[in-house]
Amino acid sequence: MDAQGRGRADNIDPADQWVINPNTGEYELRLSPSAPQSPVPGPRRSAPRAGGSAGAPRAGTRAPDRQAPERETPEHVPPQRRRRGAPVEPPPGRRGRRPAKRKSKAKKVLAWTGGTMAVVLLATGTAGYLYLKHLEGNISSTDVGDAGSKGFSKDEAFNILVIGTDKRTGDGNEGYGDKGSVGHADTNILLHVAEDRSNATAMSIPRDLIVDVPDCPTKQPDGSTKVIPGTENVRFNTSLGQEGRDPGCTMRTVEELTGIHVDHFMMADFNAVKTLSTAVGGVEVCVEHAVDDKQSHLKLPKGESTVEGEQALAFVRTRHSFGNQGDLDRIKVQQQFLGSLMRKMASGDTLTNPTKLYKLAEAATSALTVDTGIDDVGTLKDVALELKKVPTKNITFLTLPVVDNPADGATHKTVIPSELQAPKVYDAIKNDVSFTEVKKKEQASKDAAAAADAAKLKGTQSAASEIRVRILNGGAATGSAQRTLEWLQNEEGVTKSENAGNAETALSRTTLEYAPDQAAQARKLAALMGLPGSALKPGESVTNSQGLPTMTLTLGKDFKGAGVSLTAPAKAPEVDGKSTADKVECAK
């Protein structure tokens, strides 16, 4: 809703057009007689779309306009106030007096928005509650079927996939790069919010990551379901848009890759960056050297600058001016921008300025597409209230650990997950482990117990070099036995280990069978690998290739990867390049 169309032309501040009705205690939008009287749109959902963008007008997504019914205005309801100049607090009741002991609705809204705002998602939830039914009409949605969760729980941890599509829709965007793009998953952040709301992790997934995209059921405009066949060894960004894939396909790809269930998604196009950065009055960024990028048209002096609109979009799109000019360094720049945007939205300058809040609400709800599980204002409000509980100092930005794809040779065009580091990051997220130091009473006691158990196991007399074990693959991912062998020998010093191939039968759980005289070795190996007590199986030893008695480690279907504990980790792994939302970072 444009301010010009809502009274700005008559020098009326939009914030002053919301007046309290003493009969209901609610704020209502009151327009001057000269302004067009548009009804407040009710809830609606868009038709399912594949890879659509939320930034441009969408056919069939808005309910037909209805003539607003005439309403009598009680004499005691104050008329609309005209203002010039800077915005002020929302209008009080009669003659500046508020009903006795009634807390201002606007102040409640400011209280709700006063906490942390995580990525673009939190802005959407807060904005959705700010103008309730009016803004509900801005939201577009896609039915992703069983790819996500049906609803939202305020009592559980949750995962939301934030997708930035490269579809060139909206004013001024047709000139960027591939004008014919169907809208791929260009920027991707898996946002995990801890169950106790003490912390959150925003893990970026590179668009050039090589993955297997699974078969994907997608809802068609006529209500039918079409299964789009999966593809192997392709770039992650093709999980959206390609062959008509919708955001549900990207959600399924993330779960296939990480084992982490994605509850919901939020998708934005180029306009989201432009409109949100403008709505908050610009976003502060920092560069270590002056930038003059001919391709993105970004020009910035060394040090701190404020960017908005086209310049903000150029900042997050630029990759030829930072690091090694690749996508991984651009991800770091995008994380810096999002952290700064979050701080700006949570600042007093934004939260005490009704006009900025008004613009932010319009920009956020108009720029995003969400799944049908969270496409109503009430649910978005709940998401916002839960997200704002997370302190910015405990929101960690990190990138999925990757290595160059060997298949590229010396060109290094794509990347693959790090076999050693990536599973540990997935495991930490799945087990709700924070990447920052946080105070969690319940978790502290669990961590203490786990540490005590680990200390007992590691306190055995057996040294790693004395452990003899043969490794069998009994249902784990292909290649797990060999990778575990290499990890044990190279990282943990278990040199008397060998790969014995596949087990005769598949097991649901990993086991370690040992003879009575090998109990100390078994406890030591369990401690090194993070095996639970239930994995230890007293039995008989076998003979290894040197003719010596050895234990048998059979990797079951529950095996998570070499070096990844099968018990909940007590702490998150160290990840290079991670940052937190409260810190000011300079792009290098």
Coordinates of all heavy atoms in Angstrom, one line a residue, residues 446-503:
K446 N 22.7 -32.1 31.0 CA 22.9 -33.2 30.0 C 24.4 -33.2 29.6 O 25.0 -34.3 29.4 CB 22.0 -33.0 28.8 CG 20.5 -33.2 29.2 CD 19.6 -33.0 27.9 CE 18.2 -33.0 28.3 NZ 17.3 -32.8 27.1
D447 N 24.9 -32.0 29.3 CA 26.3 -32.0 28.8 C 27.2 -32.5 29.9 O 28.2 -33.2 29.6 CB 26.7 -30.5 28.5 CG 25.9 -30.1 27.2 OD1 25.3 -30.9 26.5 OD2 26.0 -28.8 26.9
A448 N 27.0 -32.2 31.2 CA 27.8 -32.6 32.3 C 27.8 -34.1 32.4 O 28.8 -34.7 32.6 CB 27.3 -32.0 33.6
A449 N 26.6 -34.7 32.2 CA 26.5 -36.1 32.3 C 27.2 -36.8 31.2 O 27.9 -37.8 31.3 CB 25.0 -36.5 32.3
A450 N 27.1 -36.2 29.9 CA 27.8 -36.8 28.8 C 29.3 -36.7 28.9 O 30.0 -37.6 28.6 CB 27.3 -36.1 27.5
A451 N 29.8 -35.6 29.5 CA 31.2 -35.4 29.7 C 31.7 -36.3 30.7 O 32.9 -36.9 30.5 CB 31.5 -33.9 30.1
A452 N 30.9 -36.6 31.7 CA 31.4 -37.5 32.8 C 31.5 -38.9 32.2 O 32.5 -39.7 32.5 CB 30.4 -37.5 33.9
D453 N 30.5 -39.3 31.3 CA 30.6 -40.7 30.7 C 31.8 -40.8 29.8 O 32.5 -41.8 29.8 CB 29.3 -40.9 29.9 CG 28.1 -41.1 30.8 OD1 28.3 -41.4 32.0 OD2 27.0 -41.0 30.3
A454 N 32.1 -39.7 29.0 CA 33.2 -39.7 28.1 C 34.5 -39.8 28.9 O 35.4 -40.5 28.5 CB 33.2 -38.4 27.2
A455 N 34.6 -39.1 30.0 CA 35.8 -39.1 30.8 C 36.1 -40.5 31.4 O 37.2 -41.0 31.4 CB 35.7 -38.1 32.0
K456 N 35.0 -41.2 31.7 CA 35.2 -42.6 32.2 C 35.7 -43.5 31.1 O 36.6 -44.3 31.4 CB 33.9 -43.1 32.7 CG 33.4 -42.5 34.0 CD 32.0 -43.0 34.4 CE 31.5 -42.3 35.6 NZ 30.1 -42.8 36.0
L457 N 35.2 -43.3 29.9 CA 35.6 -44.2 28.8 C 37.0 -43.9 28.4 O 37.8 -44.7 28.1 CB 34.6 -44.0 27.6 CG 33.2 -44.5 27.8 CD1 32.4 -44.1 26.6 CD2 33.2 -46.1 27.9
K458 N 37.3 -42.6 28.3 CA 38.7 -42.2 27.9 C 39.7 -42.5 28.9 O 40.9 -42.5 28.7 CB 38.7 -40.7 27.5 CG 37.9 -40.4 26.3 CD 38.0 -38.9 25.9 CE 37.3 -38.6 24.6 NZ 37.3 -37.2 24.2
G459 N 39.3 -42.7 30.2 CA 40.2 -43.0 31.3 C 40.7 -44.4 31.3 O 41.4 -44.8 32.2
T460 N 40.4 -45.2 30.3 CA 40.8 -46.6 30.2 C 42.3 -46.7 29.9 O 42.9 -45.7 29.4 CB 40.1 -47.4 29.2 OG1 40.3 -46.8 27.9 CG2 38.6 -47.4 29.4
Q461 N 42.9 -47.8 30.2 CA 44.4 -47.9 30.1 C 44.8 -48.2 28.6 O 45.9 -48.0 28.2 CB 44.9 -49.1 31.0 CG 44.7 -48.8 32.4 CD 45.5 -47.6 32.9 OE1 46.6 -47.4 32.6 NE2 44.8 -46.7 33.7
S462 N 43.8 -48.7 27.8 CA 44.2 -49.0 26.4 C 44.5 -47.8 25.6 O 43.7 -46.8 25.6 CB 43.0 -49.8 25.8 OG 43.4 -50.2 24.5
A463 N 45.6 -47.8 24.8 CA 45.9 -46.7 23.9 C 45.3 -47.0 22.6 O 45.1 -48.1 22.2 CB 47.4 -46.6 23.9
A464 N 45.1 -45.9 21.8 CA 44.5 -46.1 20.5 C 45.4 -47.0 19.6 O 44.8 -47.8 18.8 CB 44.4 -44.7 19.8
S465 N 46.7 -46.9 19.7 CA 47.6 -47.7 18.9 C 47.5 -49.2 19.2 O 48.0 -50.0 18.4 CB 49.0 -47.3 19.0 OG 49.4 -47.4 20.4
E466 N 46.9 -49.6 20.3 CA 46.7 -51.0 20.7 C 45.4 -51.6 20.2 O 45.2 -52.8 20.2 CB 46.8 -51.1 22.2 CG 48.1 -50.7 22.8 CD 48.1 -50.7 24.3 OE1 47.0 -51.1 24.9 OE2 49.1 -50.4 24.9
I467 N 44.5 -50.7 19.7 CA 43.2 -51.2 19.3 C 43.3 -51.9 18.0 O 43.8 -51.4 17.0 CB 42.2 -50.0 19.2 CG1 42.0 -49.3 20.5 CG2 40.8 -50.5 18.7 CD1 41.2 -48.1 20.5
R468 N 42.7 -53.2 18.0 CA 42.6 -53.9 16.7 C 41.2 -54.1 16.4 O 40.4 -54.6 17.2 CB 43.3 -55.3 16.9 CG 44.8 -55.2 17.0 CD 45.4 -56.6 16.9 NE 44.9 -57.6 17.9 CZ 45.4 -57.7 19.1 NH1 46.5 -56.9 19.5 NH2 44.9 -58.5 20.0
V469 N 40.8 -53.6 15.2 CA 39.4 -53.7 14.8 C 39.3 -53.8 13.3 O 40.1 -53.2 12.5 CB 38.6 -52.4 15.3 CG1 39.2 -51.1 14.7 CG2 37.1 -52.5 15.0
R470 N 38.3 -54.6 12.9 CA 38.0 -54.7 11.4 C 36.7 -54.0 11.3 O 35.8 -54.1 12.1 CB 38.0 -56.1 10.9 CG 36.9 -57.0 11.5 CD 36.8 -58.3 10.7 NE 35.6 -59.1 11.1 CZ 35.1 -60.0 10.4 NH1 35.6 -60.3 9.2 NH2 34.0 -60.6 10.8
I471 N 36.5 -53.4 10.1 CA 35.3 -52.5 9.9 C 34.4 -53.1 8.8 O 35.0 -53.4 7.7 CB 35.7 -51.1 9.6 CG1 36.6 -50.5 10.6 CG2 34.4 -50.2 9.5 CD1 37.3 -49.3 10.2
L472 N 33.1 -53.3 9.0 CA 32.2 -53.8 8.0 C 31.1 -52.8 7.8 O 30.7 -52.1 8.7 CB 31.6 -55.1 8.5 CG 32.5 -56.3 8.7 CD1 31.7 -57.5 9.4 CD2 33.0 -56.8 7.4
N473 N 30.7 -52.7 6.5 CA 29.5 -51.8 6.2 C 28.3 -52.7 6.3 O 28.1 -53.5 5.5 CB 29.7 -51.2 4.8 CG 28.6 -50.1 4.6 OD1 27.5 -50.2 5.1 ND2 29.0 -49.1 3.8
G474 N 27.4 -52.4 7.3 CA 26.2 -53.2 7.5 C 25.0 -52.4 7.3 O 24.0 -52.5 8.1
G475 N 24.9 -51.5 6.3 CA 23.8 -50.7 6.0 C 24.0 -49.2 6.0 O 23.1 -48.4 5.7
A476 N 25.2 -48.8 6.3 CA 25.6 -47.3 6.2 C 25.8 -46.9 4.7 O 25.7 -47.8 3.8 CB 26.9 -47.1 7.0
A477 N 26.0 -45.6 4.5 CA 26.2 -45.1 3.1 C 27.4 -45.8 2.5 O 28.3 -46.2 3.2 CB 26.3 -43.6 3.2
T478 N 27.3 -45.9 1.2 CA 28.4 -46.6 0.4 C 29.7 -45.8 0.7 O 29.8 -44.6 0.6 CB 28.1 -46.5 -1.1 OG1 26.9 -47.2 -1.3 CG2 29.2 -47.2 -1.9
G479 N 30.7 -46.6 1.0 CA 32.1 -46.0 1.2 C 32.3 -45.6 2.7 O 33.4 -45.2 3.0
S480 N 31.3 -45.9 3.6 CA 31.5 -45.5 5.0 C 32.6 -46.3 5.7 O 33.3 -45.7 6.5 CB 30.2 -45.7 5.7 OG 29.2 -44.8 5.3
A481 N 32.8 -47.6 5.4 CA 33.8 -48.4 6.0 C 35.2 -47.8 5.7 O 36.0 -47.7 6.6 CB 33.7 -49.8 5.6
Q482 N 35.4 -47.5 4.4 CA 36.7 -47.0 4.0 C 37.0 -45.6 4.6 O 38.1 -45.3 5.1 CB 36.8 -46.9 2.5 CG 38.2 -46.4 2.0 CD 39.3 -47.3 2.4 OE1 39.2 -48.5 2.5 NE2 40.5 -46.7 2.6
R483 N 36.0 -44.7 4.6 CA 36.2 -43.4 5.2 C 36.4 -43.5 6.7 O 37.2 -42.7 7.2 CB 35.0 -42.5 4.9 CG 34.9 -42.1 3.4 CD 33.9 -41.0 3.2 NE 32.5 -41.5 3.3 CZ 31.8 -42.0 2.3 NH1 32.3 -42.1 1.1 NH2 30.6 -42.4 2.5
T484 N 35.7 -44.4 7.4 CA 35.9 -44.6 8.8 C 37.4 -45.1 9.1 O 38.0 -44.7 10.0 CB 34.9 -45.5 9.4 OG1 33.6 -45.0 9.2 CG2 35.1 -45.8 10.9
L485 N 37.8 -46.1 8.2 CA 39.2 -46.6 8.4 C 40.2 -45.4 8.3 O 41.1 -45.3 9.1 CB 39.4 -47.6 7.3 CG 40.9 -48.2 7.2 CD1 41.2 -49.0 8.4 CD2 41.1 -49.0 5.9
E486 N 40.1 -44.6 7.2 CA 41.0 -43.5 7.0 C 41.0 -42.5 8.2 O 42.0 -42.0 8.6 CB 40.7 -42.8 5.7 CG 40.9 -43.7 4.5 CD 40.4 -43.0 3.2 OE1 39.7 -42.0 3.3 OE2 40.5 -43.6 2.1
W487 N 39.7 -42.3 8.7 CA 39.6 -41.3 9.9 C 40.3 -41.9 11.1 O 41.0 -41.2 11.8 CB 38.2 -41.0 10.1 CG 37.9 -40.2 11.3 CD1 38.1 -38.9 11.5 CD2 37.4 -40.7 12.6 NE1 37.8 -38.5 12.8 CE2 37.4 -39.6 13.5 CE3 37.1 -41.9 13.1 CZ2 37.0 -39.7 14.8 CZ3 36.6 -42.1 14.4 CH2 36.6 -40.9 15.2
L488 N 40.0 -43.2 11.4 CA 40.6 -43.8 12.6 C 42.1 -43.8 12.5 O 42.8 -43.5 13.5 CB 40.1 -45.2 12.8 CG 38.7 -45.4 13.3 CD1 38.2 -46.8 13.2 CD2 38.5 -44.8 14.7
Q489 N 42.7 -44.2 11.3 CA 44.1 -44.3 11.2 C 44.8 -42.9 11.2 O 45.8 -42.7 11.8 CB 44.5 -45.0 9.9 CG 44.1 -46.5 10.0 CD 44.6 -47.3 8.8 OE1 44.9 -46.7 7.7 NE2 44.6 -48.6 8.9
N490 N 44.2 -42.0 10.4 CA 44.9 -40.7 10.2 C 44.6 -39.7 11.3 O 45.5 -38.8 11.6 CB 44.5 -40.1 8.9 CG 44.9 -41.0 7.7 OD1 45.9 -41.7 7.8 ND2 44.1 -40.9 6.6
E491 N 43.4 -39.7 11.9 CA 43.0 -38.7 12.9 C 43.1 -39.2 14.3 O 43.4 -38.4 15.2 CB 41.6 -38.2 12.6 CG 41.3 -37.7 11.2 CD 42.1 -36.4 11.0 OE1 42.3 -35.6 12.0 OE2 42.4 -36.1 9.8
E492 N 42.9 -40.5 14.5 CA 42.8 -41.0 15.9 C 44.0 -41.9 16.3 O 44.0 -42.4 17.4 CB 41.5 -41.6 16.2 CG 40.3 -40.7 16.0 CD 40.3 -39.6 17.0 OE1 40.9 -39.7 18.1 OE2 39.7 -38.5 16.7
G493 N 44.8 -42.3 15.3 CA 45.9 -43.2 15.6 C 45.6 -44.6 15.8 O 46.4 -45.4 16.4
V494 N 44.4 -45.1 15.4 CA 44.0 -46.5 15.4 C 44.6 -47.2 14.2 O 43.9 -47.4 13.2 CB 42.5 -46.6 15.5 CG1 42.1 -48.1 15.7 CG2 42.0 -45.8 16.7
T495 N 45.9 -47.4 14.2 CA 46.6 -47.9 13.0 C 46.4 -49.4 12.8 O 46.6 -49.9 11.6 CB 48.1 -47.7 13.2 OG1 48.6 -48.2 14.4 CG2 48.4 -46.2 13.2
K496 N 46.0 -50.1 13.8 CA 45.7 -51.6 13.6 C 44.2 -51.8 13.3 O 43.5 -52.6 13.9 CB 46.1 -52.3 14.9 CG 47.6 -52.2 15.2 CD 47.9 -52.9 16.5 CE 49.4 -52.8 16.9 NZ 49.7 -53.4 18.2
S497 N 43.8 -51.1 12.2 CA 42.4 -51.3 11.8 C 42.4 -51.6 10.3 O 43.4 -51.3 9.6 CB 41.6 -50.0 12.0 OG 42.3 -48.8 11.5
E498 N 41.3 -52.2 9.8 CA 41.3 -52.6 8.4 C 39.8 -52.7 8.0 O 38.9 -52.8 8.7 CB 41.9 -54.0 8.2 CG 41.3 -55.1 9.0 CD 42.0 -56.4 8.8 OE1 43.3 -56.4 8.8 OE2 41.4 -57.5 8.7
N499 N 39.6 -52.5 6.6 CA 38.3 -52.5 6.0 C 38.0 -53.9 5.6 O 38.8 -54.5 4.7 CB 38.3 -51.6 4.8 CG 37.0 -51.5 4.1 OD1 36.1 -52.2 4.4 ND2 36.9 -50.7 3.1
A500 N 37.0 -54.5 6.1 CA 36.6 -55.9 5.8 C 35.5 -56.0 4.8 O 34.9 -57.1 4.7 CB 36.3 -56.7 7.1
G501 N 35.1 -54.9 4.2 CA 34.0 -54.9 3.2 C 32.6 -54.9 3.8 O 32.4 -54.2 4.8
N502 N 31.7 -55.5 3.1 CA 30.3 -55.5 3.5 C 29.9 -56.6 4.5 O 30.4 -57.7 4.3 CB 29.4 -55.5 2.3 CG 29.5 -54.3 1.4 OD1 29.7 -53.2 1.9 ND2 29.4 -54.5 0.1
A503 N 29.0 -56.3 5.4 CA 28.5 -57.4 6.3 C 27.5 -58.3 5.6 O 27.0 -57.9 4.5 CB 27.8 -56.7 7.5

